[in-house]
Each structure stands twice: as structure tokens, then as C-alpha cells.
Amino acid sequence: MRQPSANKPQRRRRVDNIQKFTVKADAPLLEAAAAVLKDHKPTKLKSMLKHHQFAINGNPSSQFDRPVHAGDQLWVNFDGSFHIFSHPKMQLVYEDDDIMVIDKGYGMLSTAAGNNIKDETVYNVLRKYVKHRSEHARVYMVHRLDRDTSGLMLVARTAKARERFLTQWATLVSERKYEAIVEGVVEEDSGLVQNYLRDADNYTMVSDPDDEQGGELAKTRYKVLERASRFTRVELSMRHGHKNQLRVHMHDLGCPISGDRKYGGRANGIHRLALHATRICFEHPITGEKMTFESPIPASFHTLMR
């Protein structure tokens, strides 16, 4: 194989001139851009909009009337178009210099695990995306969702943000909620499942009433949202998540999550685990801003309740 010459200069990727402005008042995107770029003519602003040179909180948009709110960041790429994130199993919900929030689809690993190193993961997709903007950009996973669970995930973009999430998770993250369709009828309107979880030899988690086997304390609160003849839709919440925690705890409650054949559930008509991360509330690790993101359950979940 021919090797590159040691004397040949390496081509460096040009870094775009991207500036960020804080929006002062609610307005459609084009009006918000005009308010911060007062020296630009309307025809120039429309051209920049058409060529995806504006982004709201890191999310590119060419929709002239997209709502922009006071306090949002308007990113302007003066040199060219923003690279638009697009993936069939994942949506980019929010992005700034320090964090990203994504909505992960079903059937996608958060990071490579075991023999699945060749599978496409959230980490690999996001890493490739940020490299378009800067070859030195990084992403760090601060928590995970199971391959079979969909919904909201929080990702750090800097080592400082990652460190703060890892060391101050209980302080920064105030709420994590999920919704699930579980088998059978949950009798109590709300309750708490609490025990100790540990790894078993068959790649599953098992629960114990005490920590004599070396398990970690896990608490899951549940609230019934809807009951049907064969299923119950429940809201689940936890502060500290453990591997497969919600799945194990619903099994312990006697109502495994629909589609969860790993923990006692049966196959269902939607051909997936009926578990979705619907809400996350946290304090921004750098700015201290209170942030809340929500994602509705997939429409297919409702078909199980009919």
C-alpha cells in the first residue's frame, strides 16, 4: 500500500465562522435574525435562511416563521450552511456547546457493548456529526437507554460537562420519567417498587429484598395513567437508574412490560418493548439554567390499549 509522503502538508478542514446571539424577544426566525443582524438587508437574510445558515439552540432551520423565544441562542454561520443532523432512528432535540439532548428510536444501542462493536450506536452517530463542525469535537455518554427502549437521552459535549454530570447527577438531574404499557391490570393507582439489583450470569438483572448478595438499591415509582382489559399504561420515574431497572421492577410488580420477553413479557402486535423515556428535567452543568424536555410515547403504544 502506498504511504503518504512525510513531507506532504496535511490538509486541514476549514473552520466556519459561527457566531451566537441571545434572542431578546419572542419572534419568528426571520424576524429574530433581522433583530441581531441589523446591517444585513432583507434579501441577504432570506438567502442565508434558504441556505441553512441559521440554527436555533444548535438546530439548523430554514423555516422563516419557526418560533424563536427570548433567551434562545441564534447561531449564525457566516461562511456556509450548517450540517443538518438526520438519522432514521434518532432526532436531535437540543444542542449547545456543552450538551445535547436526543430522542433515540427503538433498536439502537447507546454505546458498543460486548460483541456488538460493529453495530451503529448513538455514540458513533453523534461523534460523526460533531466532527463535521470541528475535528476536535467530542461527545461523552453520561447515561444510557437499553437498545429496546426509546426516548430522551442526555449527552455531554465537553469533558467538563461530563465530569459534572457524573459527579453531581443527583443534584443536577431532578426528574426522569418514562411511560410503559405493562401486561395485566395494575391494581394500585400509584406505588413504589424498591429492592436491590445485581447482575446474573445470563446477562440479566435479578432483584433481592436485601443487599446480602451485593446488589445496589433501586427505587422505581409508578403511577397508573390508563387501564384496559389486558394492559395498563403507567408512568415510571427514578432518580438513579440501573441496568434494566424498570423492566425488572415491572416484572416484580407482576405486570411485565409488553414485549419484554427477557423479563417475563409476551410478544406484542407492535413488535417492540413498550417502554419510552418521556421526560427529563435537569440543571445545565455549565450555565445552571433549568431545562425540561418531553417526548410523547409512540403512537403504536396506544394500539395496545384499545
Side-chain angles (χ1 to χ4, degrees):
M1 180 182 294
R2 183 179 177 182
Q3 298 296 322
S5 169
N7 297 322
K8 185 177 181 180
Q10 296 296 312
R11 182 179 179 182
R12 293 188 177 183
R13 181 181 299 159
R14 177 177 61 84
V15 178
D16 287 345
N17 175 20
I18 298 174
Q19 296 183 31
K20 301 172 185 178
F21 305 87
T22 301
V23 176
K24 302 299 183 182
D26 293 358
L29 175 54
L30 193 57
E31 289 184 20
V36 298
L37 301 176
K38 296 179 180 179
D39 58 338
H40 285 55
K41 296 181 178 180
T43 53
K44 175 61 175 177
L45 293 173
K46 290 179 181 179
S47 175
M48 294 175 70
L49 183 73
K50 178 181 178 181
H51 291 93
H52 299 96
Q53 290 180 255
F54 298 130
I56 305 167
N57 297 324
N59 295 316
S61 178
S62 59
Q63 181 183 336
F64 77 94
D65 60 349
R66 173 173 172 172
V68 183
H69 303 290
D72 283 347
Q73 277 199 335
L74 176 64
W75 297 18
V76 181
N77 187 340
F78 289 97
D79 289 341
S81 302
F82 280 106
H83 175 64
I84 299 176
F85 182 86
S86 178
H87 192 274
K89 289 188 176 181
M90 184 166 44
Q91 293 182 352
L92 179 59
V93 178
Y94 175 86
E95 177 186 10
D96 62 29
D97 290 339
D98 304 291
I99 65 170
M100 305 169 81
V101 178
I102 63 106
D103 197 336
K104 184 184 84 70
Y106 162 75
M108 190 174 191
L109 286 167
S110 298
T111 58
N115 296 324
N116 297 312
I117 58 175
K118 294 184 179 180
D119 286 2
E120 187 175 52
T121 66
V122 170
Y123 172 80
N124 288 335
V125 171
L126 293 182
R127 183 175 179 272
K128 186 181 299 184
Y129 165 68
V130 300
K131 291 291 184 183
H132 279 277
R133 192 169 300 151
S134 169
E135 60 186 13
H136 302 295
R138 301 284 299 276
V139 292
Y140 304 88
M141 310 305 290
V142 294
H143 74 111
R144 304 180 185 184
L145 293 180
D146 295 341
R147 179 205 288 266
D148 299 332
T149 303
S150 55
L152 297 172
M153 277 185 65
L154 183 57
V155 179
R157 290 200 57 195
T158 64
K160 184 177 181 180
R162 172 184 179 271
E163 180 65 19
R164 289 192 175 175
F165 275 128
L166 293 181
T167 58
Q168 303 174 43
W169 183 265
T171 302
L172 295 178
V173 181
S174 59
E175 189 175 38
R176 291 172 65 190
K177 289 186 177 181
Y178 296 70
E179 284 190 28
I181 309 298
V182 300
E183 295 181 0
V185 178
V186 179
E187 296 182 358
E188 299 293 332
D189 289 340
S190 62
L192 171 69
V193 181
Q194 175 176 314
N195 50 35
Y196 292 82
L197 299 183
R198 59 181 172 85
D199 282 296
D201 294 334
N202 57 352
Y203 301 103
T204 61
M205 300 293 288
V206 295
S207 59
D208 297 306
D210 52 51
D211 61 351
E212 292 183 358
Q213 300 297 320
E216 295 184 276
L217 180 62
K219 300 179 182 181
T220 299
R221 296 191 178 277
Y222 67 88
K223 181 174 72 174
V224 171
L225 301 177
E226 182 182 2
R227 292 185 177 94
S229 59
R230 297 188 301 120
F231 297 102
T232 305
R233 181 163 69 95
V234 293
E235 178 185 87
L236 307 173
S237 60
M238 59 183 179
R239 293 294 299 277
H240 300 280
H242 301 282
K243 177 183 175 182
N244 295 169
Q245 175 178 326
L246 302 180
R247 299 166 67 178
V248 175
H249 278 176
M250 290 303 96
H251 172 266
D252 292 345
L253 193 64
C255 296
I257 296 174
S258 179
D260 193 1
R261 304 185 71 176
K262 186 175 182 179
Y263 291 103
R266 294 185 292 270
N268 57 32
I270 63 175
H271 308 293
R272 59 157 293 179
L273 179 74
L275 178 63
H276 185 80
T278 57
R279 179 179 171 92
I280 186 166
C281 304
F282 60 92
E283 181 180 303
H284 194 286
I286 307 302
T287 68
E289 179 186 357
K290 302 292 185 181
M291 311 192 81
T292 298
F293 297 92
E294 296 184 335
S295 171
I297 60 174
S300 60
F301 282 26
H302 294 290
T303 65
L304 296 174
M305 300 299 297
R306 294 172 185 165

